[in-house]
Amino acid sequence: MTNLTNLTMAEARDKLAKGEFTAVELTAAHIKAVEAKRGLNAFITETPDLALAEAKESDLRRQAGKAGSMDGLPIGIKDLFCTKGVQTTAASHILEGFKPQYESTVSGKLKSAGAISLGKLNLDEFAMGSSNQTSYFGAVENPWKKKSDPKAKLVPGGSSGGSAAAVAARMVMAATGTDTGGSIRQPAAFCGITGIKPTYGRCSRWGVVAFASSLDQAGPMARTVRDCAIMLGSMAGFDPKDSTSVDMAVPDFEKSLTGDIRGLKVGIPKEYRPDGLSDEVAKVWDRGIEWLKAAGATPVEISLPHTKYALATYYIIAPAECSSNLARYDGLRFGLRVPGKTLDDMYRKTRAEGFGAEVRRRILIGTYVLSAGYYDAYYAKAQKVRRLIAEDFRKAFESVDVILTPTAPSAAFGQGEGTDDPVTMWLNDVFTIPTSMAGLPGLSLPAGLSSDGLPLGLQLIGRPFDEETVFKVAGVMEAAADFTAKPEGV
């Protein structure tokens, strides 16, 4: 039998339909892969018994002719999505042991489509980080290795680092991620997989532990563009329980992969070549432009003049919303409680012990910029700049259909690098944050390898709710890149 863990989701779906193997066999193969690769620390909670029970039910549905769009396909769920009866921690000590009595809308939709969850995937604590080193449950290791130093442990990116590592290591066929400022796209680039942050409002946020509510968006991470299209179709849709969910029909994203992009105009923003951009990343970007020209698309230089303010704006707005959202963790209702002499003392001790250093840092920044006397100087001004960033994109899309940029300024770096300088770490999201600030769809796909044998990604940005064009162009680029490399030992 084919090595089942090397199949793409689309391949496995078609072979399940033909009866070449069962959902139980496919799930069991992935459970073995999870057990064999525990050293990567990609999972916080494994649920093999639940997965096998769901696989048996999937086989029965298929026999009855009632298979769903993702029936029998083993996936992982980022541990930011509430899962009924299964521990949901947000990779934080303060939520350790918390078992929700409800299911998030997105994970519920995937379950309804027949997807089989193998467990909850590691992440940066409360999704705050770009390297998956802030998790209370330990850092995640990237399955890729440097040629020059094969023993060095590399970061998988963040915050969806567990999701990216698990997909790249063939532990799961696909995984859910969330993206606030690049947390699907940057780890996808670091791990040589594909991931898309849909338009804000495309997927419900209900039941997803909140970081920054005006930015957070769920999306799929998988090994191919087609797999992401299949999974997004199952994740997306209107949800009356989420006030920011958009009531709009969900297209068949897989049908958009026509392979024909002739006549499309692709924007190339001049502001995305800053000092310090890796030569290798710049060359991959230029190669991507050539692929699109060869396929009949026309590259057009555009300007996004407020890009240079995006990072600073993000690190005012996101921490402000974080400080508000995380005020609910007080030790009274759920999660960790550290006894104190008074109620205020209990609050202080619980939050001091329950939150890690990066989360505390962002709460402090956010509380400061929202405080009396500083609100207008920081938060109100940042919201105005955010509107200007969105306006830049709106003007650009009057003359182009999609925008092509690098995903990250470099390949994956070593664990421990830059941890003493938070600003250096924050710069990893310099190319992804503007898209998030404007609420636009952004997809990262692998486009080549660095001289050290590490994946490099390119990002495609689309108009609001035009994921179809993003997928169409991504499909063409994927075929041109012919990225067949995978981590050693996979």
Side-chain angles (χ1 to χ4, degrees):
M1 188 182 289
T2 311
N3 185 345
L4 297 181
T5 58
N6 275 327
L7 294 172
T8 67
M9 208 161 65
E11 290 168 346
R13 174 194 63 181
D14 296 344
K15 289 178 184 292
L16 280 167
K18 292 175 184 175
E20 293 186 23
F21 47 78
T22 66
V24 168
E25 289 170 331
L26 185 63
T27 301
H30 283 86
I31 288 171
K32 282 183 183 176
V34 170
E35 292 169 349
K37 293 163 186 169
R38 282 191 182 132
L40 297 177
N41 199 32
F43 279 83
I44 291 174
T45 304
E46 296 173 23
T47 56
D49 294 339
L50 276 174
L52 286 170
E54 289 175 3
K56 288 175 185 174
E57 291 176 10
S58 172
D59 285 332
L60 291 173
R61 282 194 299 273
R62 195 170 293 280
Q63 288 168 17
K66 297 178 180 177
S69 59
M70 288 184 63
D71 232 306
L73 302 176
I75 65 168
I77 303 292
K78 183 178 182 179
D79 200 16
L80 206 63
F81 294 81
C82 289
T83 43
K84 187 175 181 179
V86 177
Q87 176 178 247
T88 300
T89 68
S92 180
H93 183 34
I94 208 161
L95 277 176
E96 188 176 13
F98 171 57
K99 292 184 179 179
Q101 297 307 301
Y102 52 89
E103 189 81 22
S104 78
T105 298
V106 163
S107 57
K109 278 177 168 286
L110 289 167
K111 188 177 281 192
S112 295
I116 294 165
S117 171
L118 300 189
K120 307 298 289 294
L121 292 159
N122 208 343
L123 63 145
D124 281 298
E125 185 181 7
F126 280 100
M128 297 178 201
S130 303
S131 63
N132 218 143
Q133 295 180 98
T134 69
S135 170
Y136 174 73
F137 299 93
V140 175
E141 184 181 340
N142 192 326
W144 289 83
K145 296 291 183 186
K146 281 183 182 178
K147 284 181 185 175
S148 61
D149 188 2
K151 292 184 179 178
K153 291 184 177 182
L154 305 178
V155 304
S159 65
S160 307
S163 299
V167 172
R170 275 58 173 174
M171 300 161 83
V172 294
M173 306 202 92
T176 62
T178 62
D179 193 309
T180 307
S183 290
I184 286 174
R185 292 160 288 160
Q186 185 250 22
F190 277 15
C191 290
I193 66 168
T194 300
I196 181 170
K197 179 200 87 71
T199 309
Y200 182 79
R202 174 68 88 180
C203 293
S204 172
R205 292 185 301 108
W206 193 85
V208 181
V209 178
F211 163 16
S213 300
S214 74
L215 294 159
D216 298 344
Q217 185 57 205
M221 304 177 76
R223 293 203 298 278
T224 68
V225 173
R226 185 173 298 276
D227 285 0
C228 282
I230 292 167
M231 191 169 175
L232 182 58
S234 296
M235 294 172 67
F238 176 63
D239 180 9
K241 291 181 286 192
D242 174 8
S243 62
T244 61
S245 174
V246 175
D247 192 356
M248 180 181 284
V250 178
D252 185 340
F253 296 115
E254 196 177 1
K255 282 186 177 175
S256 65
L257 301 175
T258 62
D260 184 5
I261 61 167
R262 288 172 296 178
L264 289 185
K265 292 183 178 176
V266 181
I268 311 297
K270 60 185 181 182
E271 289 83 4
Y272 280 55
R273 291 188 188 269
D275 293 338
L277 177 65
S278 151
D279 286 343
E280 292 182 323
V281 171
K283 284 176 184 174
V284 165
W285 189 13
D286 290 337
R287 200 182 310 146
I289 295 168
E290 291 305 313
W291 292 336
L292 294 175
K293 283 168 71 175
T298 305
V300 178
E301 185 179 77
I302 60 170
S303 177
L304 301 170
H306 293 93
T307 294
K308 60 186 175 183
Y309 304 116
L311 200 68
T313 304
Y314 175 86
Y315 278 104
I316 291 171
I317 291 172
E321 295 184 12
C322 139
S323 78
S324 176
N325 277 324
L326 270 59
R328 71 192 69 178
Y329 303 107
D330 53 15
L332 282 178
R333 287 157 290 188
F334 45 78
L336 179 72
R337 178 185 296 179
V338 179
K341 294 177 182 177
T342 64
L343 185 63
D344 283 350
D345 190 39
M346 186 271 286
Y347 286 159
R348 278 193 294 268
K349 287 180 175 176
T350 297
R351 289 169 68 83
E353 186 174 321
F355 291 136
E358 181 64 23
V359 173
R360 293 199 301 270
R361 178 185 293 115
R362 297 199 194 193
I363 290 171
L364 286 169
I365 292 170
T367 305
Y368 177 80
V369 301
L370 289 175
S371 59
Y374 296 101
Y375 181 95
D376 289 335
Y378 292 103
Y379 186 72
K381 187 174 288 185
Q383 290 287 26
K384 291 174 184 175
V385 176
R386 180 180 186 177
R387 184 184 60 76
L388 294 174
I389 292 167
E391 184 66 13
D392 286 348
F393 280 106
R394 190 194 64 76
K395 287 177 181 174
F397 281 119
E398 289 176 356
S399 58
V400 299
D401 299 292
V402 291
I403 295 170
L404 178 69
T405 77
T407 306
S410 69
F413 49 90
Q415 288 186 357
E417 290 180 23
T419 50
D420 56 343
D421 183 359
V423 175
T424 298
M425 195 65 74
W426 295 349
L427 285 168
N428 281 289
D429 295 328
V430 66
F431 295 139
T432 53
I433 278 174
T435 313
S436 295
M437 298 294 281
L440 301 173
L443 178 148
S444 177
L445 75 159
L449 294 174
S450 72
S451 57
D452 227 350
L454 298 177
L456 299 170
L458 290 177
Q459 175 183 220
L460 284 162
I461 305 164
R463 294 186 178 97
F465 299 101
D466 189 18
E467 288 87 357
E468 289 167 287
T469 302
V470 172
F471 278 128
K472 182 189 293 186
V473 177
V476 169
M477 292 189 68
E478 180 180 61
D482 193 25
F483 188 87
T484 56
K486 56 185 179 180
E488 192 176 328
V490 170

